[in-house]
Amino acid sequence: MDYTAILKAQKDFFYAQKTKSLSSRIQALCRFKEMLISYESRIYKSLFDDFNKTEQEAYLTEWVILIKDIELAQQSLKKWTKKKRVGTNLLNWPGKSFTIAEPYGQSLIIGTWNYPIQLTLAPAIAALAAGNTVILKPSELALNTSQCIAAMISEYFNPDLITVVQGGVKETSNLLKLKFDKIFFTGSTAVGKIVYQAAALNLTPITLELGGKSPAVITQSAQLPKAIKRLVWAKYLNAGQTCIAPDYVFVHQKIYKQALALFKQELDKNKYALESNNYVQIINDQHLKRLEKLIDQNNVIYGGQISRETRCISPTLLTEVDLQDEIMKEEIFGPLLPIIPFTEYQEVIRYIQSNEKPLAAYLFSKNSGEINQWLSELSFGGGCINDAIMHITNPKLPFGGVGQSGTGSYHGKAGFDTFSHYKSIFRKPSSFEVTLKYPPYTKSKMTWIKRLIRFS
Ligand code: NAD
């Protein structure tokens, strides 16, 4: 594939003004929705073939999210694309000031495998809504889904507007040598650094949606059964292969025993199993081995079974975990949950502060002092109070990380903004002229300038 030629064709298409009008953007979004509807069952099949993702999870966490994204963009695009008037200061009077959201141009979107449909196509919907062209690079690890994405995009779209490049490191590295106007990357922090460096060579604006260890904390004031019900669902969804899954849980010492019993009960109730079609596989053997190494069987109080044949790890609870253990050093990204007791809330806060800023953080508490401290003293991408994961499902909340967990955000209007440059314009009438700024400089001019500046 000649990537340079693809990019050149997209550039020509863009400069022929074919992506910018409201009607062409709405048309692209309608086409996208048609495509998703007609490919719905093939999407589910490819997700199932890749890692046993079931239809209910695929519908809820991938397909319908995209449909809702498109509908929101369709309803809001007129408002989002309207030029926005801002006030004009006295110094510039008379005149008008406004901003215009303009598309960056040629965008590159690099996806990941854990929600391979949603995480690859949601940024593409935002990019098209904002009037960009798109080259999509899905993850090679979810191969069936990557092929499905390539097939549907090529069937439904002109490649000058949006096209798919399949492949892995080599193909992504070659794409990154080209000069894009915007790069959007979802994946690991380690690869995020490589992509950031490649973007820096061309000073390309970039959004990095990365990972990290997202903590959950249950304090004494929490409604314990509800907290655990919500945490278990959030952790074992997609077998823990979720960027904002609770990575580990701190539980107050006084409710620790009761919490362990409730965790076990909840897991029993949910009957996670490949055969019952409510559990997914680990994406590949390499990740299975990585997770296997993180399990210290002496610490397992629930689960811990590994099947190499089915590439499956049963939902696993671990206690007696030391904060220096390997499992507390890297993002788990699998169905292993360390549950750690604490006595002082302040210590938990300090521990989280001492690590990299997480992508998400979850506090289960009814105590407003604890909640306020959590919100004001910890920096993290986003999160929930008394829930986990669900903040991602509100398109009105921008989604993204901070520091090592990412830079920039998307979803809803934030997605449109991420793929737009806000051009600032001051428009002055030609007829009227205040001559104060022009030479020759005089004392009286200076006095007037100072007065004007004081009041503007
Ligand atoms: P990854 O970084 O290995 O791969 C992501 C993409 O980068 C793939 O398309 C891959 O082909 C490409 N890639 C891999 N190595 C590369 C290299 N050396 N040079 C150029 N491109 C390369 O990540 P992954 O294993 O697919 O995903 C897991 C990580 O992604 C976890 O850390 C998880 O938390 C994070 N994640 C973040 C979000 C989010 O929205 N913030 C969502 C899902 C996953």
Side-chain angles (χ1 to χ4, degrees):
M1 243 179 171
D2 182 350
Y3 302 151
T4 312
I6 297 173
L7 192 62
K8 161 90 173 57
Q10 290 201 342
K11 202 171 191 135
D12 292 345
F13 190 74
F14 181 79
Y15 281 111
Q17 309 303 316
K18 300 235 174 95
T19 66
K20 291 184 186 170
S21 69
L22 188 59
S23 61
S24 63
R25 298 185 201 198
I26 294 281
Q27 202 186 343
L29 292 171
C30 289
R31 193 96 182 116
F32 217 104
K33 190 169 169 188
E34 257 175 60
M35 172 188 83
L36 288 173
I37 290 169
S38 96
Y39 267 79
E40 184 177 356
S41 53
R42 278 155 81 179
I43 288 173
Y44 297 152
K45 183 172 180 332
S46 65
L47 290 167
F48 189 82
D49 290 346
D50 278 328
F51 56 142
N52 205 71
K53 196 178 282 217
T54 63
E55 191 170 319
Q56 182 170 332
E57 280 194 18
Y59 171 83
L60 267 177
T61 63
E62 309 240 27
W63 190 83
V64 82
I65 288 184
L66 297 178
I67 297 288
K68 290 285 157 202
D69 259 7
I70 293 172
E71 288 171 355
L72 179 72
Q74 284 171 327
Q75 288 155 14
S76 320
L77 209 50
K78 203 170 168 192
K79 193 166 122 205
W80 292 348
T81 51
K82 228 179 180 170
K83 74 178 178 194
K84 305 224 168 18
R85 282 282 293 272
V86 299
T88 298
N89 52 352
L90 196 56
L91 191 67
N92 286 310
W93 186 87
K96 286 180 183 157
S97 305
F98 52 92
T99 60
I100 305 171
E102 65 171 16
Y104 277 115
Q106 282 59 70
S107 65
L108 169 66
I109 295 170
I110 303 168
T112 185
W113 55 265
N114 59 332
Y115 293 89
I117 288 287
Q118 192 229 123
L119 295 175
T120 314
L121 298 184
I125 291 166
L128 294 175
N132 298 270
T133 65
V134 183
I135 293 182
L136 271 182
K137 211 300 288 173
S139 171
E140 72 282 19
L141 299 195
L143 186 60
N144 293 292
T145 312
S146 171
Q147 286 165 351
C148 177
I149 291 173
M152 63 185 176
I153 295 283
S154 73
E155 185 186 329
Y156 272 78
F157 284 98
N158 178 349
D160 294 351
L161 176 63
I162 174 168
T163 193
V164 177
V165 169
Q166 292 191 80
V169 178
K170 187 173 130 231
E171 290 75 8
T172 319
S173 307
N174 286 335
L175 282 170
L176 286 169
K177 286 180 192 150
L178 304 180
K179 188 171 185 297
F180 286 91
D181 298 297
K182 170 79 193 180
I183 296 177
F184 187 106
F185 170 81
T186 307
S188 61
T189 300
V191 178
K193 288 178 185 174
I194 297 172
V195 176
Y196 208 170
Q197 279 174 2
L201 290 179
N202 290 309
L203 294 179
T204 303
I206 186 157
T207 302
L208 297 171
E209 294 284 340
L210 309 177
K213 289 181 88 63
S214 298
V217 176
I218 308 178
T219 73
Q220 252 183 297
S221 71
Q223 215 282 20
L224 197 57
K226 279 270 158 52
I228 286 169
K229 190 174 186 57
R230 291 170 189 177
L231 270 174
V232 164
W233 178 81
K235 176 71 187 185
Y236 297 99
L237 180 77
N238 217 29
Q241 300 166 111
T242 303
C243 56
I244 47 169
D247 190 272
Y248 57 91
V249 192
F250 276 118
V251 181
H252 193 275
Q253 180 74 57
K254 288 212 171 127
I255 51 168
Y256 189 68
K257 260 197 180 154
Q258 197 191 344
L260 294 184
L262 284 167
F263 268 113
K264 290 180 192 169
Q265 249 177 47
E266 195 58 33
L267 283 169
D268 283 344
K269 238 194 270 169
N270 288 1
K271 298 193 189 338
Y272 289 107
L274 287 185
E275 309 78 55
S276 62
N277 264 346
N278 63 1
Y279 201 49
V280 310
Q281 293 169 296
I282 303 304
I283 190 69
N284 61 19
D285 293 338
Q286 197 191 331
H287 277 280
L288 189 81
K289 277 189 201 135
R290 177 184 66 78
L291 287 162
E292 206 176 338
K293 275 199 209 146
L294 293 180
I295 305 175
D296 178 345
Q297 289 292 346
N298 297 319
N299 297 345
V300 171
I301 58 150
Y302 190 97
Q305 292 90 13
I306 298 158
S307 161
R308 293 206 180 100
E309 235 166 60
T310 59
R311 250 183 23 241
C312 191
I313 300 180
S314 62
T316 299
L317 302 174
L318 299 126
T319 55
E320 308 291 328
V321 172
D322 191 280
L323 296 180
Q324 303 308 317
D325 288 350
E326 218 40 55
I327 197 166
M328 291 305 289
K329 287 187 184 148
E330 62 173 88
E331 179 183 1
I332 297 173
F333 218 56
L336 322 176
L337 184 64
I339 309 173
I340 305 159
F342 75 91
T343 45
E344 293 297 327
Y345 184 59
Q346 188 58 39
E347 275 171 33
V348 171
I349 296 274
R350 240 181 262 131
Y351 175 76
I352 298 170
Q353 283 168 340
S354 69
N355 287 292
E356 298 295 351
K357 294 176 183 178
L359 181 58
Y362 307 113
L363 175 66
F364 291 82
S365 165
K366 284 196 274 190
N367 178 310
S368 53
E370 288 169 354
I371 295 172
N372 290 340
Q373 190 178 358
W374 182 263
L375 296 176
S376 68
E377 294 185 13
L378 291 178
S379 178
F380 50 88
C384 309
I385 308 290
N386 295 319
D387 209 342
I389 285 191
M390 295 308 288
H391 61 298
I392 199 174
T393 61
N394 179 358
K396 293 194 172 143
L397 285 173
F399 178 80
V402 55
Q404 296 277 309
S405 59
T407 180
S409 60
Y410 72 129
H411 287 187
K413 170 74 162 41
F416 175 85
D417 288 346
T418 281
F419 283 94
S420 301
H421 162 64
Y422 279 84
K423 196 155 63 181
S424 295
I425 303 295
F426 168 58
R427 180 174 176 171
K428 197 169 177 173
S430 320
S431 51
F432 187 83
E433 189 67 78
V434 179
T435 53
L436 287 174
K437 70 181 177 194
Y438 299 105
Y441 302 131
T442 62
K443 253 195 166 169
S444 80
K445 275 185 181 176
M446 190 65 175
T447 311
W448 273 106
I449 286 173
K450 281 186 174 172
R451 258 184 219 158
L452 268 178
I453 284 179
R454 205 177 315 136
F455 292 110
S456 66

Coordinates of all heavy atoms in Angstrom, one line a residue, residues 4-53:
T4 N 1.8 7.3 1.1 CA 2.0 8.6 0.7 C 0.9 9.0 -0.4 O 0.3 10.1 -0.3 CB 3.4 8.8 0.0 OG1 4.3 8.2 0.9 CG2 3.7 10.3 -0.2
A5 N 0.6 8.1 -1.2 CA -0.5 8.4 -2.3 C -1.8 8.5 -1.6 O -2.6 9.4 -2.0 CB -0.5 7.2 -3.3
I6 N -2.1 7.6 -0.6 CA -3.4 7.7 0.1 C -3.5 9.1 0.7 O -4.6 9.8 0.6 CB -3.5 6.6 1.2 CG1 -3.5 5.2 0.5 CG2 -4.8 6.8 2.0 CD1 -3.4 4.1 1.6
L7 N -2.5 9.5 1.4 CA -2.5 10.8 2.1 C -2.7 11.9 1.2 O -3.4 12.9 1.4 CB -1.3 10.9 3.0 CG -1.3 12.1 4.0 CD1 -2.4 11.9 5.0 CD2 0.0 12.2 4.8
K8 N -2.0 11.8 0.1 CA -2.0 12.9 -1.0 C -3.5 13.0 -1.5 O -4.0 14.1 -1.6 CB -1.0 12.6 -2.1 CG -1.2 13.3 -3.4 CD -0.4 14.6 -3.4 CE -0.4 15.3 -4.8 NZ -1.7 15.6 -5.4
A9 N -4.1 11.9 -1.8 CA -5.4 11.9 -2.3 C -6.4 12.5 -1.3 O -7.3 13.3 -1.6 CB -5.9 10.5 -2.6
Q10 N -6.2 12.2 0.0 CA -7.0 12.7 1.1 C -6.8 14.2 1.2 O -7.8 15.0 1.4 CB -6.8 12.0 2.4 CG -7.2 10.6 2.4 CD -7.4 10.0 3.8 OE1 -7.0 10.6 4.8 NE2 -8.2 8.9 3.9
K11 N -5.6 14.7 1.0 CA -5.3 16.1 1.1 C -6.0 16.8 0.0 O -6.6 17.9 0.2 CB -3.8 16.3 1.0 CG -3.3 17.6 1.6 CD -1.8 17.6 1.6 CE -1.4 18.8 2.5 NZ -0.4 18.6 3.4
D12 N -5.9 16.3 -1.3 CA -6.6 16.9 -2.4 C -8.1 17.0 -2.2 O -8.7 18.0 -2.5 CB -6.3 16.1 -3.7 CG -4.8 16.2 -4.1 OD1 -4.1 17.1 -3.6 OD2 -4.4 15.4 -4.9
F13 N -8.6 15.9 -1.7 CA -10.1 15.9 -1.4 C -10.5 17.0 -0.4 O -11.4 17.7 -0.5 CB -10.4 14.5 -0.8 CG -11.8 14.1 -0.7 CD1 -12.6 13.9 -1.8 CD2 -12.4 14.1 0.6 CE1 -14.0 13.5 -1.7 CE2 -13.8 13.8 0.7 CZ -14.5 13.5 -0.4
F14 N -9.6 17.1 0.7 CA -9.9 18.1 1.7 C -9.8 19.5 1.2 O -10.7 20.3 1.4 CB -8.8 17.9 2.8 CG -9.0 18.8 4.0 CD1 -10.0 18.6 5.0 CD2 -8.2 19.9 4.1 CE1 -10.1 19.5 6.0 CE2 -8.3 20.8 5.2 CZ -9.3 20.6 6.2
Y15 N -8.8 19.7 0.4 CA -8.6 21.1 -0.2 C -9.6 21.4 -1.3 O -9.8 22.6 -1.7 CB -7.2 21.4 -0.5 CG -6.4 21.7 0.7 CD1 -5.4 20.9 1.2 CD2 -6.6 22.9 1.4 CE1 -4.7 21.1 2.4 CE2 -6.0 23.1 2.6 CZ -5.0 22.3 3.1 OH -4.3 22.5 4.2
A16 N -10.2 20.4 -1.8 CA -11.3 20.6 -2.8 C -12.6 20.9 -2.0 O -13.7 21.0 -2.6 CB -11.5 19.4 -3.6
Q17 N -12.5 21.1 -0.7 CA -13.6 21.5 0.2 C -14.7 20.5 0.3 O -15.9 20.8 0.5 CB -14.1 22.9 -0.2 CG -13.1 24.0 -0.4 CD -12.2 24.2 0.9 OE1 -12.7 24.3 2.0 NE2 -10.9 24.3 0.7
K18 N -14.3 19.2 0.1 CA -15.4 18.2 0.1 C -15.8 17.7 1.5 O -16.7 16.8 1.6 CB -14.9 17.0 -0.8 CG -14.6 17.4 -2.2 CD -15.4 16.6 -3.2 CE -15.2 17.0 -4.6 NZ -14.2 16.3 -5.3
T19 N -15.1 18.1 2.5 CA -15.4 17.5 3.8 C -16.0 18.5 4.8 O -16.4 18.1 5.9 CB -14.1 17.0 4.5 OG1 -13.3 18.1 4.8 CG2 -13.3 16.0 3.7
K20 N -16.0 19.8 4.4 CA -16.3 20.8 5.4 C -17.7 21.2 5.5 O -18.1 21.6 6.6 CB -15.4 22.0 5.0 CG -13.9 21.8 5.2 CD -13.2 23.1 5.0 CE -11.7 22.8 5.0 NZ -10.9 24.0 4.5
S21 N -18.5 21.2 4.5 CA -19.9 21.8 4.6 C -20.7 20.9 5.6 O -20.4 19.7 5.8 CB -20.6 21.8 3.2 OG -20.8 20.4 2.9
L22 N -21.6 21.6 6.2 CA -22.5 20.9 7.2 C -23.1 19.7 6.5 O -23.2 18.6 7.1 CB -23.5 21.9 7.7 CG -24.4 21.4 8.9 CD1 -23.5 21.0 10.1 CD2 -25.4 22.5 9.3
S23 N -23.6 19.9 5.3 CA -24.3 18.8 4.6 C -23.4 17.6 4.4 O -23.8 16.5 4.5 CB -25.0 19.3 3.3 OG -24.0 19.7 2.5
S24 N -22.1 17.9 4.0 CA -21.3 16.7 3.7 C -20.9 16.0 5.0 O -20.8 14.8 5.0 CB -20.0 17.1 2.9 OG -19.3 18.0 3.7
R25 N -20.8 16.7 6.1 CA -20.5 16.0 7.4 C -21.7 15.2 7.8 O -21.6 14.1 8.3 CB -20.2 17.1 8.4 CG -19.0 17.9 8.1 CD -18.7 18.8 9.3 NE -17.9 19.9 8.9 CZ -17.2 20.7 9.7 NH1 -17.2 20.4 11.0 NH2 -16.4 21.7 9.3
I26 N -22.9 15.8 7.7 CA -24.1 15.1 8.1 C -24.3 13.8 7.2 O -24.6 12.7 7.7 CB -25.4 16.0 8.0 CG1 -25.3 17.1 9.0 CG2 -26.7 15.2 8.1 CD1 -25.7 16.8 10.4
Q27 N -24.0 14.0 5.9 CA -24.1 12.8 5.0 C -23.1 11.7 5.4 O -23.5 10.5 5.4 CB -23.7 13.3 3.6 CG -24.3 12.5 2.5 CD -23.8 12.9 1.2 OE1 -23.3 14.1 1.0 NE2 -23.9 12.1 0.2
A28 N -21.9 12.1 5.8 CA -20.9 11.1 6.2 C -21.4 10.4 7.5 O -21.2 9.2 7.6 CB -19.6 11.8 6.5
L29 N -22.0 11.1 8.4 CA -22.5 10.5 9.6 C -23.6 9.6 9.4 O -23.7 8.5 10.0 CB -22.9 11.6 10.6 CG -21.8 12.5 11.2 CD1 -22.3 13.6 12.0 CD2 -20.8 11.6 12.1
C30 N -24.5 10.0 8.5 CA -25.7 9.1 8.1 C -25.1 7.8 7.5 O -25.6 6.7 7.8 CB -26.6 9.8 7.1 SG -27.5 11.1 7.7
R31 N -24.2 7.9 6.6 CA -23.6 6.8 6.0 C -22.9 5.9 7.0 O -23.0 4.6 6.9 CB -22.5 7.3 5.0 CG -22.0 6.3 4.0 CD -22.8 6.4 2.7 NE -22.2 5.4 1.8 CZ -23.0 4.4 1.3 NH1 -24.2 4.3 1.6 NH2 -22.4 3.5 0.5
F32 N -22.3 6.5 8.0 CA -21.6 5.7 9.1 C -22.6 4.9 9.8 O -22.4 3.7 10.1 CB -20.9 6.7 10.0 CG -19.6 6.1 10.5 CD1 -18.4 6.6 10.0 CD2 -19.6 5.2 11.5 CE1 -17.2 6.1 10.5 CE2 -18.4 4.7 12.0 CZ -17.2 5.1 11.5
K33 N -23.8 5.5 10.1 CA -24.8 4.8 10.9 C -25.4 3.7 10.0 O -25.5 2.6 10.6 CB -25.9 5.8 11.2 CG -26.9 5.3 12.2 CD -27.8 6.4 12.7 CE -29.0 5.8 13.5 NZ -29.9 6.9 13.9
E34 N -25.7 4.0 8.8 CA -26.2 2.9 7.9 C -25.2 1.7 7.9 O -25.6 0.6 8.0 CB -26.1 3.4 6.4 CG -27.4 3.8 5.8 CD -27.2 4.5 4.5 OE1 -26.6 3.8 3.6 OE2 -27.5 5.7 4.3
M35 N -23.9 2.0 7.8 CA -22.9 1.0 7.7 C -22.9 0.1 9.0 O -22.9 -1.1 9.0 CB -21.5 1.7 7.6 CG -20.3 0.8 7.7 SD -18.8 1.7 7.8 CE -18.7 2.2 9.5
L36 N -23.0 0.8 10.2 CA -23.0 0.1 11.4 C -24.2 -0.8 11.5 O -24.2 -2.0 12.0 CB -23.0 1.0 12.6 CG -21.6 1.8 12.8 CD1 -21.8 2.8 13.9 CD2 -20.5 0.8 13.2
I37 N -25.4 -0.3 11.1 CA -26.6 -1.1 11.1 C -26.5 -2.3 10.2 O -26.8 -3.4 10.6 CB -27.8 -0.2 10.8 CG1 -28.0 0.8 11.9 CG2 -29.1 -1.1 10.6 CD1 -29.0 1.9 11.7
S38 N -26.0 -2.1 9.0 CA -25.9 -3.2 8.1 C -24.9 -4.3 8.5 O -25.0 -5.4 8.2 CB -25.8 -2.8 6.7 OG -24.4 -2.8 6.3
Y39 N -23.8 -3.8 9.2 CA -22.8 -4.7 9.6 C -22.9 -5.2 11.1 O -22.0 -5.9 11.6 CB -21.4 -4.0 9.5 CG -20.7 -4.3 8.1 CD1 -21.1 -3.6 7.0 CD2 -19.7 -5.2 8.0 CE1 -20.5 -3.8 5.8 CE2 -19.1 -5.5 6.8 CZ -19.5 -4.7 5.7 OH -18.9 -5.0 4.5
E40 N -24.0 -4.9 11.7 CA -24.2 -5.2 13.1 C -23.8 -6.7 13.4 O -23.0 -6.9 14.3 CB -25.6 -4.9 13.6 CG -25.7 -5.1 15.1 CD -27.1 -4.7 15.7 OE1 -27.9 -4.2 14.9 OE2 -27.3 -4.9 16.9
S41 N -24.4 -7.6 12.7 CA -24.2 -9.0 13.1 C -22.8 -9.4 12.8 O -22.2 -10.3 13.5 CB -25.2 -10.0 12.5 OG -25.3 -9.7 11.1
R42 N -22.2 -8.9 11.7 CA -20.8 -9.2 11.4 C -19.8 -8.7 12.4 O -18.8 -9.2 12.7 CB -20.4 -8.7 10.0 CG -21.0 -9.8 8.9 CD -21.2 -9.1 7.6 NE -20.0 -9.0 6.8 CZ -19.9 -8.5 5.6 NH1 -21.1 -8.1 5.0 NH2 -18.8 -8.4 5.0
I43 N -20.2 -7.5 12.9 CA -19.3 -6.9 14.0 C -19.4 -7.9 15.2 O -18.3 -8.2 15.8 CB -19.9 -5.5 14.4 CG1 -19.6 -4.5 13.3 CG2 -19.3 -5.1 15.7 CD1 -20.2 -3.2 13.5
Y44 N -20.6 -8.3 15.6 CA -20.6 -9.2 16.8 C -19.9 -10.5 16.5 O -19.2 -11.0 17.4 CB -22.1 -9.6 17.1 CG -22.9 -8.4 17.5 CD1 -24.3 -8.3 17.3 CD2 -22.3 -7.3 18.1 CE1 -25.1 -7.2 17.7 CE2 -23.1 -6.2 18.5 CZ -24.4 -6.1 18.2 OH -25.2 -5.1 18.6
K45 N -20.0 -11.0 15.3 CA -19.3 -12.3 15.0 C -17.8 -12.1 15.1 O -17.0 -12.9 15.6 CB -19.7 -12.8 13.6 CG -19.0 -14.1 13.3 CD -19.5 -14.8 12.0 CE -18.8 -16.1 11.7 NZ -17.5 -16.3 12.2
S46 N -17.3 -11.0 14.5 CA -15.8 -10.8 14.6 C -15.3 -10.6 16.0 O -14.3 -11.1 16.4 CB -15.4 -9.6 13.7 OG -15.9 -8.4 14.2
L47 N -16.1 -9.9 16.8 CA -15.7 -9.8 18.2 C -15.7 -11.1 19.0 O -14.8 -11.4 19.8 CB -16.6 -8.8 18.9 CG -16.5 -7.3 18.5 CD1 -17.6 -6.5 19.0 CD2 -15.1 -6.7 19.0
F48 N -16.7 -11.9 18.6 CA -16.8 -13.3 19.2 C -15.6 -14.1 18.8 O -14.9 -14.8 19.6 CB -18.1 -13.9 18.9 CG -18.3 -15.2 19.6 CD1 -18.8 -15.2 20.9 CD2 -18.0 -16.4 19.1 CE1 -19.0 -16.3 21.7 CE2 -18.2 -17.6 19.8 CZ -18.7 -17.5 21.1
D49 N -15.3 -14.0 17.5 CA -14.2 -14.8 16.9 C -12.8 -14.4 17.5 O -11.9 -15.2 17.7 CB -14.1 -14.7 15.4 CG -15.3 -15.4 14.8 OD1 -15.9 -16.2 15.5 OD2 -15.5 -15.2 13.6
D50 N -12.7 -13.1 17.8 CA -11.4 -12.6 18.4 C -11.2 -13.0 19.8 O -10.1 -13.5 20.2 CB -11.3 -11.1 18.2 CG -10.9 -10.7 16.9 OD1 -10.1 -11.4 16.2 OD2 -11.3 -9.6 16.4
F51 N -12.2 -12.8 20.7 CA -12.0 -13.2 22.0 C -13.3 -13.5 22.8 O -13.4 -13.2 24.0 CB -11.1 -12.3 22.8 CG -11.4 -10.8 22.9 CD1 -11.1 -10.2 24.1 CD2 -11.9 -10.1 21.8 CE1 -11.4 -8.8 24.2 CE2 -12.1 -8.8 21.9 CZ -11.9 -8.1 23.1
N52 N -14.2 -14.1 22.1 CA -15.4 -14.6 22.7 C -16.3 -13.5 23.3 O -17.0 -13.8 24.3 CB -15.0 -15.6 23.8 CG -16.1 -16.6 24.1 OD1 -16.4 -17.5 23.3 ND2 -16.8 -16.5 25.3
K53 N -16.2 -12.3 22.8 CA -17.0 -11.3 23.3 C -18.5 -11.6 23.0 O -18.8 -11.9 21.8 CB -16.6 -9.9 22.8 CG -17.2 -8.8 23.6 CD -16.7 -7.4 23.1 CE -15.3 -7.0 23.5 NZ -15.1 -5.6 23.9

